[in-house]
Amino acid sequence: MRRFLPVVLGLLLVGAAVSAQDTRRQESRKAQLEKEIAAINRQLKDNARSSSRALTDLSLVRRKIAARQELIAESDREIRALDDSMKVRQQEIDRLQARHDTLSLYYNRLVRGAYKNRDSRLWYMYILSSENIGQAVRRFGYLKGLSRNMSDQAKHIQETAAALELEKDRLAGLREEAQVLRGQRQADVDALRSEEGESASLVARLEKDRKKYQNDLKKKNREVEALNREIAEIIRKATAKPKSGGKSTAKGGKTTSTAIDETLSKNFAANKGRLPWPVEGTVIESYGQHYHPVYKNVKLPFNNGVTLAVARGTQAKAVFDGNVSQVVVIPGYNQCVLVQHGAYFTFYCKLKSVTVKAGEKVKTGQVLGTVDTLSGEDQFHFQLWQERNPQNPENWLR
């Protein structure tokens, strides 16, 4: 039994390490979700709650509901894991208790036997009455082993009792942790119900002023379509290859190259999924084709990027090294900065002030400008293109 003890302890240590890693991962995810919910709450609080902002509020609330549901799911997973751990602990307690009882019973028998024969003269007589030296040695060894066995048994009982108390303490700790976690989960469930009611109220408000919102939607659709056309045209010009085979001659006879920086392109592509977000905020409009969240039969223009609700005064930063290709003003999107990264382009829109100019080199994390407040809303729009093909930014950003 003893030779298996190191193996068992090793397996327990490995299991504990894996469990600790899972716990850290769950705690990290829960912290992210709680941070996202807190940020959304701040954005909703900053909103004036005017009619024009109801749609943004609805997007934020629905995003918060999704985060809250995931938070509850994380809590459910943790509670199930705690229940499993408590079950294992209880089984271990039962096993140790049974071992403790068996050892105690055996030890009591030894003690009773030793008590009945406690007179040392009986022991001497038992040895001296041996028929030969060999039998005397064997009897002496038996008596010596009996004494040692009693001592070992007492030690095993103490060790088992200590392990039993330790397991009971661990089980009590798990039960307390599970109780706290169930309380937090219930609070999240109550908050979720409140947020779902808030969402229903916003939907009702949008339905009530349907005509007004549809007019606002038409205006916004025109702005989105104009933005898509403008960006596509800018990138078309930036990627157009001159007839001279990639060379152009500047005034004064100086030769410059318009060839794409292949090294920068490869470095950019190698960081897919690891690029930093240009701003900290909540995605309220994702990439792709969507329908209106309330007027289900209304098809929205294809979104070539992502739009985020941000805190007032948020600074937009470059997601990678590159060159500022152009700074333009587009109706509904204010100032926009186009940064080229070889064959890739990133577009930063809805800026109030810009801190860079065309032709300037920028580094990852460098501030490009400050997000503007347009129609009372603080939103930032971001796009990422591979030459003339728009990409889903969320596949590239970490």
Side-chain angles (χ1 to χ4, degrees):
M1 178 66 182
R2 289 183 179 181
R3 67 174 179 270
F4 292 117
L5 190 58
V7 177
V8 173
L9 288 174
L11 291 173
L12 287 173
L13 288 173
V14 171
V18 173
S19 177
Q21 186 178 5
D22 290 341
T23 300
R24 286 194 296 272
R25 189 183 299 111
Q26 289 174 343
E27 289 176 350
S28 175
R29 181 58 186 151
K30 286 185 71 175
Q32 290 174 355
L33 291 168
E34 288 168 351
K35 183 180 178 182
E36 181 179 355
I37 290 171
I40 293 172
N41 283 332
R42 286 194 299 270
Q43 289 160 355
L44 286 168
K45 188 176 180 181
D46 290 341
N47 283 359
R49 290 293 185 177
S50 61
S51 297
S52 61
R53 309 188 76 164
L55 185 57
T56 299
D57 286 353
L58 178 61
S59 298
L60 287 170
V61 169
R62 287 184 172 176
R63 189 81 179 189
K64 183 167 62 168
I65 287 172
R68 185 80 67 186
Q69 288 171 334
E70 190 175 346
L71 189 61
I72 291 171
E74 286 289 337
S75 295
D76 287 339
R77 280 192 286 271
E78 287 189 23
I79 290 171
R80 284 196 298 272
L82 282 172
D83 287 340
D84 291 341
S85 296
M86 285 190 287
K87 184 178 179 181
V88 170
R89 292 297 176 199
Q90 188 61 58
Q91 290 173 344
E92 182 64 13
I93 287 171
D94 294 341
R95 187 189 68 78
L96 287 171
Q97 186 66 60
R99 176 171 172 74
H100 183 269
D101 293 343
T102 302
L103 288 172
S104 297
L105 179 63
Y106 184 54
Y107 182 73
N108 289 335
R109 288 177 179 174
L110 286 175
V111 170
R112 283 197 299 271
Y115 180 78
K116 290 178 181 179
N117 301 285
R118 63 187 179 278
D119 192 341
S120 58
R121 288 175 297 180
L122 293 175
W123 292 40
Y124 292 138
M125 290 177 62
Y126 180 63
I127 296 173
L128 293 173
S129 63
S130 302
E131 295 179 0
N132 52 54
I133 294 297
Q135 189 180 56
V137 171
R138 287 194 297 274
R139 287 184 176 183
F140 177 76
Y142 166 75
L143 293 174
K144 186 178 179 180
L146 180 63
S147 176
R148 185 172 58 249
N149 193 15
M150 288 178 62
S151 178
D152 289 345
Q153 285 295 108
K155 185 178 179 181
H156 289 333
I157 289 173
Q158 290 176 347
E159 291 173 349
T160 304
L164 183 59
E165 288 304 314
L166 180 61
E167 289 298 324
K168 286 181 178 178
D169 289 341
R170 287 175 176 171
L171 179 59
L174 288 171
R175 283 174 175 164
E176 184 177 349
E177 185 180 350
Q179 185 176 0
V180 171
L181 192 56
R182 285 189 173 93
Q184 291 175 345
R185 182 191 180 281
Q186 186 57 50
D188 283 329
V189 169
D190 294 340
L192 177 62
R193 289 171 181 161
S194 175
E195 288 156 2
E196 288 174 339
E198 190 177 1
S199 174
S201 176
L202 288 168
V203 170
R205 188 196 306 179
L206 286 163
E207 286 285 7
K208 182 179 178 181
D209 297 329
R210 186 183 187 95
K211 187 174 181 180
K212 177 185 180 303
Y213 286 119
Q214 285 181 330
N215 290 333
D216 291 342
L217 183 61
K218 288 178 182 178
K219 178 185 175 184
K220 182 179 179 181
N221 288 350
R222 288 194 296 270
E223 291 174 349
V224 172
E225 290 168 352
L227 174 74
N228 290 342
R229 287 195 302 270
E230 183 74 19
I231 293 178
E233 180 62 19
I234 290 172
I235 293 178
R236 186 192 66 78
K237 291 178 179 178
T239 55
K241 297 180 180 179
K243 295 180 181 179
S244 57
K247 301 286 184 178
S248 61
T249 304
K251 186 177 180 180
K254 182 179 178 181
T255 302
T256 59
S257 174
T258 58
I260 288 175
D261 188 334
E262 296 295 342
T263 301
L264 187 56
S265 292
K266 290 178 181 178
N267 290 340
F268 188 90
N271 281 276
K272 185 175 182 179
R274 298 195 298 271
L275 297 174
W277 282 79
V279 296
E280 185 173 332
T282 303
V283 175
I284 57 174
E285 295 175 8
S286 56
Y287 176 88
Q289 185 69 67
H290 304 286
Y291 286 83
H292 194 277
V294 178
Y295 318 133
K296 302 297 184 181
N297 61 334
V298 177
K299 191 176 184 180
L300 302 176
F302 193 93
N303 188 4
N304 285 332
V306 290
T307 301
L308 297 95
V310 298
R312 190 151 297 179
T314 293
Q315 292 181 321
K317 301 176 182 179
V319 300
F320 201 74
D321 297 352
N323 301 295
V324 178
S325 179
Q326 202 167 348
V327 179
V328 296
V329 176
I330 299 175
Y333 289 85
N334 209 354
Q335 296 191 79
C336 301
V337 176
L338 176 66
V339 179
Q340 184 170 2
H341 318 271
Y344 295 88
F345 298 85
T346 52
F347 215 73
Y348 310 76
C349 288
K350 297 196 173 186
L351 302 178
K352 175 173 63 176
S353 59
V354 174
T355 58
V356 294
K357 58 183 182 295
E360 183 178 338
K361 290 183 179 296
V362 295
K363 292 290 186 181
T364 305
Q366 181 176 334
V367 175
L368 304 177
T370 303
V371 179
D372 201 357
T373 302
L374 302 174
S375 302
E377 295 183 317
D378 299 283
Q379 295 181 1
F380 171 78
H381 184 74
F382 177 76
Q383 294 191 16
L384 190 155
W385 291 58
Q386 182 181 9
E387 294 188 330
R388 302 184 190 184
N389 302 308
Q391 305 287 305
N392 183 351
E394 293 188 70
N395 292 338
W396 289 79
L397 303 170
R398 62 172 175 251

